[in-house]
Amino acid sequence: MPLAEAIRHRVGIRTAAVGLITEPAQANDIIQSGAADLVMIAREMLREPYWALRAQQELGQEPSWPISYGYAVKRRR
Ligand SMILES: Cc1cc2nc3c(=O)[nH]c(=O)nc-3n(C[C@H](O)[C@H](O)[C@H](O)COP(=O)(O)O)c2cc1C
């Protein structure tokens, strides 16, 4: 993350932060503070595949489910 921030500010190119980013608030702080343009999450997404949905909820966003998930929803008559 410090490297992403330094390169972004000194070189002026877009950067992504990676490495032990596990909490939605932590990821949001990185983006909001301008430290990086993108946050990449690896192992935590393996531990919790629905991390992005949880993050949206925790950060007060409307969860955006993948469209294809809707195909599996039972319809009521
Ligand atoms: C078991 C393991 C294998 C990895 N192998 C590679 C690799 O082959 N090439 C690479 O660029 N990064 C590799 N990485 C680094 C990951 O791409 C990523 O940068 C790292 O897991 C940090 O993100 P995270 O803390 O969200 O998991 C590996 C990480 C782990 C834990």
Side-chain angles (χ1 to χ4, degrees):
M1 208 281 281
L3 290 174
E5 184 172 20
I7 291 170
R8 184 174 193 261
H9 290 131
R10 289 188 202 168
V11 183
I13 60 173
R14 292 180 193 164
T15 61
V18 66
L20 293 176
I21 300 165
T22 58
E23 293 302 320
Q26 177 190 12
N28 196 40
D29 285 348
I30 291 169
I31 299 298
Q32 294 296 329
S33 69
D37 299 276
L38 180 73
V39 166
M40 299 195 294
I41 294 154
R43 286 167 292 182
E44 193 61 22
M45 287 289 274
L46 295 175
R47 290 188 199 100
E48 187 187 351
Y50 291 111
W51 188 93
L53 289 169
R54 178 168 70 81
Q56 286 175 311
Q57 288 177 323
E58 283 188 23
L59 297 173
Q61 304 285 316
E62 191 67 30
S64 55
W65 291 83
I67 292 169
S68 54
Y69 280 28
Y71 303 151
V73 174
K74 286 184 180 175
R75 294 180 186 213
R76 296 181 184 198
R77 294 186 180 188

